[in-house]
Amino acid sequence: MRWWKVLGLAGLAGVAASGVVIARAERRRRAYTPEEIRARLRERHAQAGGGGAPADGAA
């Protein structure tokens, strides 16, 4: 087998593997309910120290 055939097959295997990883992550992401997403975002915001500052920047 020539080196370019091996390189092509390796590239094809890499594309297929990345497609599987992306599909798995998308399925996992879509499994959350909107309420779960809101709760997670609020939790991250609280951990980031966002406190109670107004969103429009008014002091």
Side-chain angles (χ1 to χ4, degrees):
M1 204 184 264
R2 298 196 185 255
W3 65 271
W4 56 271
K5 286 184 182 180
V6 174
L7 186 63
L9 288 174
L12 185 63
V15 169
S18 14
V20 168
V21 170
I22 291 170
R24 185 178 296 164
E26 183 69 17
R27 246 187 327 226
R28 193 176 300 143
R29 186 184 67 81
R30 289 179 184 246
Y32 292 123
T33 65
E35 291 80 22
E36 289 174 327
I37 293 171
R38 280 187 209 103
R40 291 177 65 129
L41 286 172
R42 287 185 181 125
E43 181 181 318
R44 284 187 200 168
H45 185 262
Q47 287 177 352
D56 61 357

